[in-house]
Amino acid sequence: DIQMTQSPASLSASLGETVSIECLASEDIYNNLAWYQQKPGKSPQLLIYYASSLQDGVPSRFSGSGSGTQYSLKINSLESEDAATYFCLQDSEYPRTFGGGTKLELK
Amino acid sequence: QMQLQESGPGLVKPTQSLFLTCSVTGFSITSGYYWIWIRQSQGKHLEWMGYMTYSGETFYNPSLKSPISITRETSKNQFFLQLNSVTTEDTAMYYCAGGDDGTPDYWGQGVMVTVSS
């Protein structure tokens, strides 16, 4: 299985700041990476697919980048509604595997 | 608008089987997409369990400790997860989802399952 190492496990940031979350794959996943946002008590919601394509309805302050084994999710101009846990998912091979998650707290 | 809803017992005893139902509305499970089961432990780790395609093909995560089976009832537009010989490690929130190629896009709300005697 492809292992997905996500960092940091948690971070705290202020409104208006910009943050980045990283995912490192154990092998090349050829941009086959998705990012999800999960708010407390809710199911995950797809934000980005194919590493950098924004899902319909997702604010443009979210962006994804990367290639090979290294990928990142960037959130510009943090808003209060961005407080959530973020997960990456590799969809290059089966079984699909998730990163461990990053809990984003707003100060 | 596609919607998915999980249902099933909230409590299962160790060594018993777990059977969960995912009811899909707004889209026929035989028209397209992969129909996926995912679970999330209390530590928040997400585990992709397997899928059934719109044509009935299945794939199960070989890393799962307990054997699983995904089946469907097309007349009711439902698909199911059976997990055999459960242990306390199977305690989790279980989600059903639909999406392309096994990548979840549309998610249900989840159903909490506790394995305890």
Side-chain angles (χ1 to χ4, degrees), chain B residues 12-117:
Chain B
V12 182
K13 294 185 188 306
T15 75
Q16 291 186 342
S17 292
L18 167 65
F19 191 84
L20 298 176
T21 299
C22 182
S23 300
V24 181
T25 57
F27 191 89
S28 169
I29 63 171
T30 60
S31 293
Y33 290 131
Y34 287 40
W35 303 99
I36 306 157
W37 286 98
I38 295 154
R39 66 183 179 183
Q40 187 169 34
S41 64
Q42 291 192 327
K44 302 302 181 184
H45 174 67
L46 286 160
E47 184 170 38
W48 186 94
M49 301 182 74
Y51 67 70
M52 173 174 277
T53 69
Y54 59 92
S55 60
E57 298 172 349
T58 56
F59 179 90
Y60 306 136
N61 187 340
S63 298
L64 293 171
K65 294 179 182 177
S66 301
I68 72 167
S69 176
I70 299 175
T71 56
R72 65 181 180 176
E73 175 54 69
T74 56
S75 65
K76 295 183 178 179
N77 215 38
Q78 295 175 327
F79 65 104
F80 312 104
L81 172 70
Q82 180 165 333
L83 190 63
N84 295 318
S85 305
V86 298
T87 72
T88 55
E89 293 186 357
D90 296 312
T91 293
M93 180 73 80
Y94 285 77
Y95 294 100
C96 63
D100 289 324
D101 296 331
T103 301
D105 188 354
Y106 304 92
W107 295 65
Q109 297 176 336
V111 60
M112 183 65 204
V113 176
T114 300
V115 179
S116 175
S117 55

